[in-house]
Amino acid sequence: MSSTVFPSAANDSPRSSSPIVDPFGRSVSYLRVSVTDRCDFRCVYCMAEDMTFLPKAEVLTLEELDRICSAFVGLGVSKLRLTGGEPLVRKGIMNLIRSLGRHLGSGALKELTLTTNGSQLERYATELYDAGVRRINVSIDTLDPHKFEAITRWGKLDKVLAGLKAAREAGLAVKINCVALKGVNDDEFHRLVAWCGDEGFDLTFIEVMPMGDIGGEARLDQYLPLSLVRSRIAERWTLNEIDYTTGGPARYVEVRETGRRIGFITPLTHNFCESCNRVRLTCTGTLYMCLGQEDAADLRTPVRMSDDDALLVERIREAIGRKPKGHDFIIDRRSKAAPVPRHMSVTGG
């Protein structure tokens, strides 16, 4: 399939001599981009079943997403992760991915990747690899088809497993993301470790994050500290400490019996703020400097005001200058309200 490069690509600015650094001396080199708020699943910890999605006029066009991402690359961002909702349900998404791939060719970008629920992988895996994607994260919280449907509400496990097979055949490295849910999948951790070992996948466990109203689901009841998850896994598997990072928040160990890695993302029990190198862009052009804070910057307005990137770059620098030291996530038994009211799907995790 022919490559698509958006008109703005011809006007890419050279890499800035002054990369973006926050007030605490952390260089921002990782941008997560939610390309859509829509998804073909309704995972119980992420969305309400009856979601109201954004009107089209509020959502950035693919060309606008390309322009903002390219501005960040010019400011020193070396890793782009596309998220959603579900990124692969966005119409024309492969045009954006192929266009962003030009930054891999120039050497300005070290990695272009995405997080997906896997439902569309059977269709897109080969195209993703051809566009320069080499590694993907796929969200799977259970290997039980009935529980999978209950957690995702609309998802089918067999379709996701077929997508994983296609991804592996295309040459994509796969990491499985699993949200630890007390009373839901806490009886499957050993099975997941063994399965990932057999399939050649790395595995990352994630604590439930207190974000958004999800229609009566009680995160307090779902919450399971990963310190407990790790201790349970260690009862059966040998976990060796390793010095490995993907540039994200996970802390990794290696499973001696399988040779695969397990990561732990612990925003509550052990936050990862001290080394945070990332910011998050929503599909409406809102930049969140911290997943666990509400302060944000509007990048859609400068993009739509001018074809010149000077105002956009100025707005990005000003926003990074407000990046906080850490988040405010907490599981509070005295309050049912989420500390961060927006849904997880808004910023893509």
Side-chain angles (χ1 to χ4, degrees):
M1 185 172 291
S2 62
S3 177
T4 300
V5 178
F6 298 128
S8 63
N11 300 317
D12 282 347
S13 301
R15 180 175 287 274
S16 170
S17 60
S18 177
I20 39 180
V21 179
D22 76 7
F24 304 94
R26 299 170 297 194
S27 294
V28 176
S29 59
Y30 180 3
L31 176 66
R32 296 178 62 107
V33 184
S34 176
V35 298
T36 179
D37 65 327
R38 298 175 186 270
C39 188
D40 50 352
F41 290 0
R42 294 291 184 275
C43 295
V44 296
Y45 51 78
C46 181
M47 288 186 174
E49 186 168 12
D50 185 19
M51 287 289 292
T52 300
F53 293 109
L54 294 163
K56 186 176 180 180
E58 293 185 19
V59 177
L60 294 171
T61 66
L62 295 176
E63 290 83 359
E64 289 168 338
L65 283 165
D66 181 274
R67 186 174 160 196
I68 294 175
C69 288
S70 297
F72 272 98
V73 172
L75 290 168
V77 162
S78 59
K79 178 177 179 178
L80 290 176
R81 177 177 295 279
L82 305 185
T83 68
E86 169 48 45
L88 294 178
V89 302
R90 174 79 190 255
K91 185 177 180 180
I93 186 61
M94 287 308 308
N95 291 334
L96 174 63
I97 294 172
R98 282 190 290 269
S99 185
L100 291 173
R102 72 191 186 275
H103 298 302
L104 295 168
S106 72
L109 191 63
K110 293 180 181 178
E111 184 173 33
L112 174 61
T113 184
L114 74 155
T115 295
T116 172
N117 64 26
S119 67
Q120 307 298 315
L121 272 179
E122 195 171 16
R123 174 183 178 187
Y124 286 117
T126 298
E127 286 187 67
L128 288 168
Y129 187 89
D130 291 345
V133 176
R134 294 293 179 265
R135 187 170 65 88
I136 59 173
N137 291 2
V138 181
S139 301
I140 296 182
D141 301 320
T142 177
L143 293 172
D144 181 305
H146 300 292
K147 280 200 283 187
F148 187 87
E149 190 167 351
I151 291 171
T152 64
R153 294 192 179 106
W154 296 3
K156 302 295 182 183
L157 181 61
D158 58 351
K159 187 175 183 180
V160 173
L161 295 180
L164 287 173
K165 181 175 183 290
R168 187 168 52 195
E169 291 175 350
L172 295 169
V174 173
K175 185 178 77 172
I176 301 299
N177 285 348
C178 176
V179 177
L181 300 166
K182 186 170 70 173
V184 178
N185 63 358
D186 49 355
D187 60 342
E188 291 191 71
F189 297 152
H190 296 304
R191 183 184 179 191
L192 283 161
V193 173
W195 175 71
C196 285
D198 291 341
E199 297 293 325
F201 302 149
D202 286 346
L203 172 64
T204 292
F205 288 103
I206 305 170
E207 284 178 336
V208 171
M209 297 187 190
M211 295 182 67
D213 176 7
I214 49 174
E217 300 290 345
R219 280 197 182 83
L220 182 59
D221 295 332
Q222 296 173 344
Y223 172 62
L224 185 64
L226 291 196
S227 54
L228 180 58
V229 174
R230 177 169 174 164
S231 66
R232 288 186 187 177
I233 293 171
E235 292 172 0
R236 186 177 301 181
W237 306 91
T238 307
L239 306 182
N240 297 325
E241 299 288 344
I242 56 174
D243 184 17
Y244 173 80
T245 180
T246 63
R251 292 176 169 86
Y252 288 89
V253 296
E254 184 179 68
V255 183
R256 187 174 68 187
E257 291 83 355
T258 68
R260 305 308 306 180
R261 291 180 286 259
I262 297 179
F264 298 93
I265 297 180
T266 54
L268 299 173
T269 57
H270 183 181
N271 75 55
F272 37 77
C273 301
E274 70 277 0
S275 59
C276 183
N277 62 340
R278 58 207 159 275
V279 290
R280 292 166 172 83
L281 181 73
T282 74
C283 61
T284 63
T286 301
L287 182 71
Y288 286 95
M289 289 71 78
C290 175
L291 180 62
Q293 301 275 6
E294 280 297 275
D295 187 29
D298 169 24
L299 301 186
R300 185 178 64 194
T301 297
V303 162
R304 294 185 175 177
M305 280 178 58
S306 172
D307 291 335
D308 184 272
D309 284 348
L311 183 58
L312 171 61
V313 169
E314 179 184 339
R315 189 67 59 86
I316 291 171
R317 289 192 180 280
E318 187 274 334
I320 300 305
R322 303 201 311 268
K323 183 171 170 60
K325 188 173 185 180
H327 61 64
D328 288 333
F329 284 146
I330 188 170
I331 292 286
D332 189 351
R333 294 182 179 274
R334 297 167 299 179
S335 172
K336 296 296 183 182
V340 178
R342 66 182 182 276
H343 286 94
M344 180 69 74
S345 59
V346 172
T347 43

